Amino acid sequence: MPGTLDTRGSDFARLAHTIVDAGLLDRRPFYYAARIAIAVAAYLGCWTLFAWLGDSWWQLLVAVALAVVFTQFGFVAHDIGHRQVFRTRRPSDVAGLLIGNLGVGLGWGWWTTKHNRHHANPNHEDHDPDVSPAVIVWSTDQAIKSRGLPRFVARYQAFWFFPLLTLEAWHLHVASFKALFTSSAKRRGPELALLIVHFVAYFGAVFAVLPFGKALLFLIVHQGLFGLYLGSTFAPNHKGMPVLTKDDKLDFLRKQVLTSRNVRGGVFTDVALGQLNYQIEHHLFPNMPAPSLRRAQPIVQRYCDEIGVSYLQTGLLDSYGQALRHLHEVGAPLRR
């Protein structure tokens, strides 16, 4: 998803000039070359270890490792989608298809379109697909209007949230296939072919090396932890922040800052969360290379303080607590 500087509104324009002058939007090719090389080496290393171990219960640890590697692949694909890695569309799409469709079985075209919509209107009831009431509901209004499974889950959805994330990877795989059979699908042939190759190779390897019971358990552990890890890295960013409606009229800077939450931490937190813990800076400057986000953070926070815009930054556990409390409050009308 291409990132361009939207300089509408003097508040964002002044901040944008400061960020540009600091060189924080400059490309970081050596960083991404190293990061991609490490991710690919880890991916190939895990599958090599899988083949070498054979019929062994140690394979469950390989499943855990692969869940981490698949998620890190997802972070790299995310950065590629925002044109943080390559300047133009073609190399971005080629890399995205190889990492997304072929590498982890997630549809590149479907995901980038969905993610673009999220960035354009974060936490907006009508426009952000990430807060659509598919199973979890995100506002009291959605809870009251919910029917069927969402209504059942919504009563105690704070308790269901993390268990449901273990199904998230399967949901993303299915959604990737379904999107290719819609009229708006682009590159249907290449995307479908790469997804099929991924799953034929994936299931073929697992069931060829492991007996049926162990293979099934491997799939449950790997895909369950992949979904849990991936979902847990996105949950702290917007969940529990204000949910916007058509009545909210905010400029670009306030729309992005007020609906996002940063997570404090050191290098480990940055790596574990794919540097998406700097969610405010990422939403303001989606094409900013990930390693520059940490440097941009104090600049953005200081600027928000100067112009009186609330800037929320908290610890990881507290961010989960805020998100879960919000989900529980949303379901309150259904518990009466």
Side-chain angles (χ1 to χ4, degrees), residues 45-296:
C46 283
W47 284 116
T48 300
L49 180 60
F50 175 84
W52 179 74
L53 281 174
D55 181 4
S56 168
W57 287 108
W58 289 107
Q59 294 285 22
L60 296 183
L61 292 181
V62 178
V64 174
L66 274 173
V68 174
V69 173
F70 269 45
T71 304
Q72 291 294 325
F73 256 40
F75 294 152
V76 172
H78 169 272
D79 291 2
I80 291 172
H82 280 295
R83 304 280 182 87
Q84 296 174 21
V85 183
F86 304 103
R87 190 179 301 275
T88 57
R89 179 183 296 276
R90 183 171 178 78
S92 298
D93 284 345
V94 170
L97 287 168
L98 291 176
I99 292 175
N101 292 57
L102 184 61
V104 297
L106 300 182
W108 172 251
W110 163 74
W111 181 82
T112 52
T113 299
K114 173 178 175 289
H115 198 60
N116 274 336
R117 291 170 57 202
H118 160 69
H119 265 266
N121 291 284
N123 264 28
H124 195 290
E125 274 192 347
D126 301 319
H127 304 301
D128 184 356
D130 288 357
V131 292
S132 62
V135 177
I136 298 291
V137 297
W138 308 102
S139 69
T140 302
D141 187 55
Q142 287 181 348
I144 293 171
K145 294 178 180 177
S146 64
R147 295 292 181 271
L149 181 61
R151 190 174 185 86
F152 171 78
V153 171
R155 289 182 175 88
Y156 296 100
Q157 60 183 4
F159 300 96
W160 284 104
F161 183 70
F162 284 108
L164 284 172
L165 285 182
T166 62
L167 303 175
E168 180 64 12
W170 295 111
H171 162 70
L172 295 175
H173 294 317
V174 171
S176 297
F177 275 104
K178 287 175 63 177
L180 291 176
F181 294 95
T182 62
S183 58
S184 60
K186 299 178 181 178
R187 298 184 301 265
R188 180 181 288 114
E191 290 223 30
L192 183 59
L194 289 172
L195 283 176
I196 291 172
V197 169
H198 168 83
F199 284 105
V200 168
Y202 176 71
F203 288 120
V206 172
F207 284 99
V209 170
L210 299 175
F212 184 81
K214 283 181 184 174
L216 202 59
L217 189 56
F218 180 94
L219 295 175
I220 291 172
V221 171
H222 174 226
Q223 294 293 333
L225 291 181
F226 175 30
L228 179 62
Y229 181 13
L230 193 64
S232 295
T233 62
F234 289 99
N237 301 336
H238 301 281
K239 310 314 178 194
M241 300 302 291
V243 177
L244 306 180
T245 69
K246 61 180 181 298
D247 297 324
D248 295 299
K249 309 297 181 184
L250 299 175
D251 65 354
F252 176 79
L253 183 143
R254 286 163 180 80
K255 179 168 62 175
Q256 303 298 337
V257 175
L258 296 178
T259 60
S260 303
R261 178 197 296 112
N262 274 17
V263 175
R264 295 191 202 92
V267 174
F268 176 80
T269 303
D270 289 0
V271 173
L273 299 183
Q275 296 176 96
L276 294 174
N277 45 316
Y278 303 104
Q279 190 67 192
I280 294 173
E281 290 70 34
H282 171 60
H283 261 258
L284 288 170
F285 304 98
N287 62 331
M288 180 183 290
S292 298
L293 292 170
R294 173 180 279 272
R295 292 172 54 202

